[in-house]
Amino acid sequence: MRRSPDLTSVVAGVCVIALGTLLLLDAAGTMDLRFEVLGPAACAALGAILLASGLTRPR
Amino acid sequence: MNETTQELPPEPSPQPRRLLRARSGRMIGGVCAGLGRYFNVDPILFRIGAVVLAFVGGVGLLAYVAALLLVPAEDSVGASGEPAVRNRWLVIAGVVLLLLISWPFLLGGGLVLAGLLIPLAFLVAAGVLVWWFVSGEGPSGDAGDVAKRALLGIAILAVCGLIAIGGAWAAAAGGETVVAIAVIAAGVSILVGAFVRPMRWLVLPAVTLALAAGTVSAAGIDLDGGVGERDYRPASALDLRDTYELGMGELIIDLRQTDLPAGDVPLDVDLGIGEARVIVPDDVCVATDAEVGIGEVRAFDRHNGGVDVDVDDLPPADPDVTRLLVNADVGVGALRIGQSGADLDLDRGHFDFGDHDPDLGENSGCAT
């Protein structure tokens, strides 16, 4: 039987890639990363990871 | 008549109720649920009490961690009703810890000790939560299990701290692209691992690295230019540098004795972390275009502070007056621009603002 993917890892992977992309765009000069962008992005990423972790935690 | 008396077996003495961490109905470690069951009241009351006490100097958190370590869990109690204590020394250590906590309170002089132990309790709680997230093993089992998981969680936190320092330093030293690629590679590994073999242990270090480098980038910290104190006193406009650059430290540009021509004179300042002071003669008009990631800009009688500080103050000047165009980029710290007033006296070595507003003079050279 095929095992279903780990939801927490999927969400965390996507969030980490998104944060890395922000850094890369800033390093390339395509965008100017500021706290007004980083703050909400970090909160959203951490929130999504914790939410996924809570949803998949065995009871 | 022969009476036969049949002696009844003595009634077994009732088992004393035992305080156990509840397995069912628990939110974290089953402490409040166990207390509720023990006292036959709704455990939500204990939860509210614990949260409220956590904000009263952290006492609630300290008590919760102590209960996690000392009160046995339901699933660790054997058929005989005796808890399977595997690490007695941990229980003894917990009792000693509680004694250490309690005696200063009793004597009324334990603020110093409590100041050490309460952060320690926060650290243990953070360790348990981190390990819970990474491995899925919550704060169940006996004291040894909880302590072991807390230690593993704290070790992960320590590694993340080192990663944060290294990532921040690399990004500030010009390696932001490398850090960004490393973060993306970690994200791809986590994503692929979700379908093959989950790598939850990598999530926390990757997020830590991303946030540390992101903070450096958002603040605009650039360590090019070295570390230390730089004091520039150019004699004329020809001696002015294209950019006054410093990675970390104190940067002083004293133009009081500089022979400046009439018209616009550019002055670029690039400071990573620290304080930059620009001191100008009384008859010069200063136009300021400054960005500070975290910190403040004080230009004469104007003050802006906080996060993502942008100052655009470009007043006009008469043609026969020098207009200094200060273009500054400070990561974390302060930019101060003023005249040779008492609060800019370099002989004192620092700005002494004290409790009063600084006297940085007036930008009186500009046209009104």
Side-chain angles (χ1 to χ4, degrees):
Chain A
M1 198 172 98
R2 189 172 174 177
R3 197 174 65 176
S4 59
D6 179 35
L7 177 64
T8 304
S9 296
V10 171
V11 173
V14 170
C15 289
V16 170
I17 291 171
L19 289 173
T21 305
L22 276 180
L23 288 176
L24 198 59
L25 290 174
D26 181 65
T30 308
M31 68 171 288
D32 183 18
L33 185 61
R34 308 195 64 171
F35 284 108
E36 63 190 12
V37 174
L38 180 68
C43 288
L46 291 174
I49 294 170
L50 290 175
L51 193 62
S53 172
L55 288 174
T56 56
R57 191 173 301 290
R59 296 251 170 211
Chain B
M1 189 170 164
N2 210 0
E3 279 188 12
T4 57
T5 55
Q6 193 173 2
E7 288 186 4
L8 292 172
E11 284 188 6
S13 57
Q15 288 278 334
R17 279 192 306 165
R18 301 206 53 201
L19 177 60
L20 299 171
R21 284 188 285 122
R23 177 74 181 160
S24 60
R26 67 181 186 177
M27 296 291 287
I28 302 174
V31 171
C32 294
L35 281 170
R37 194 172 298 171
Y38 186 80
F39 291 106
N40 198 26
V41 295
D42 192 336
I44 191 71
L45 297 174
F46 290 101
R47 289 184 184 127
I48 293 171
V51 171
V52 170
L53 285 176
F55 288 98
V56 184
V59 175
L61 188 64
L62 195 64
Y64 196 94
V65 170
L68 262 182
L69 293 171
L70 296 177
V71 178
E74 267 182 353
D75 48 7
S76 70
V77 176
S80 64
E82 291 298 319
V85 180
R86 286 186 297 169
N87 295 293
R88 285 189 185 279
W89 66 269
L90 273 173
V91 177
I92 293 168
V95 172
V96 171
L97 194 70
L98 269 184
L99 287 174
L100 284 172
I101 296 165
S102 59
W103 75 260
F105 285 113
L106 293 173
L107 294 176
L111 289 178
V112 173
L113 190 58
L116 293 173
L117 291 176
I118 288 173
L120 186 66
F122 273 98
L123 191 64
V124 170
V128 169
L129 288 174
V130 165
W131 186 252
W132 194 1
F133 171 76
V134 170
S135 70
E137 292 177 354
S140 58
D142 58 24
D145 291 334
V146 175
K148 188 174 73 179
R149 289 165 193 165
L151 280 176
L152 289 168
I154 290 170
I156 291 173
L157 280 177
V159 170
C160 286
L162 292 175
I163 289 172
I165 293 169
W169 188 268
E176 190 188 355
T177 305
V178 176
V179 175
I181 291 171
V183 170
I184 292 173
V188 170
S189 302
I190 294 166
L191 191 57
V192 172
F195 296 89
V196 184
R197 184 192 174 106
M199 294 190 289
R200 284 194 184 190
W201 58 268
L202 189 56
V203 175
L204 212 53
V207 171
T208 303
L209 181 62
L211 294 186
T215 302
V216 167
S217 300
I221 297 171
D222 184 356
L223 292 183
D224 285 349
V227 176
E229 184 175 325
R230 304 282 188 274
D231 190 349
Y232 298 100
R233 297 166 191 254
S236 69
L238 292 175
D239 296 329
L240 286 174
R241 296 186 170 202
D242 293 339
T243 303
Y244 288 92
E245 196 174 31
L246 180 63
M248 188 187 303
E250 190 176 49
L251 178 62
I252 299 167
I253 305 163
D254 186 355
L255 304 177
R256 286 177 295 182
Q257 306 299 324
T258 309
D259 183 18
L260 295 170
D264 288 348
V265 176
L267 182 76
D268 289 346
V269 178
D270 188 356
L271 174 65
I273 301 171
E275 179 180 310
R277 297 187 226 169
V278 180
I279 304 157
V280 298
D282 295 350
D283 57 350
V284 165
C285 173
V286 179
T288 308
D289 178 7
E291 284 187 12
V292 177
I294 304 172
E296 66 169 5
V297 176
R298 283 185 188 270
F300 302 100
D301 55 348
R302 297 193 176 189
H303 175 232
N304 297 78
V307 175
D308 288 338
V309 179
D310 272 332
V311 174
D312 280 304
D313 182 23
L314 306 171
D318 293 332
D320 57 340
V321 171
T322 301
R323 190 170 78 144
L324 191 66
L325 302 173
V326 178
N327 183 9
D329 188 357
V330 178
V332 176
L335 168 68
R336 282 158 189 169
I337 304 170
Q339 294 158 346
S340 52
D343 288 312
L344 279 170
D345 188 351
L346 290 179
D347 295 336
R348 298 214 313 245
H350 59 87
F351 284 91
D352 184 15
F353 291 163
D355 294 329
H356 65 283
D357 287 335
D359 175 17
L360 302 182
E362 292 181 4
N363 200 4
S364 52
C366 302
T368 53

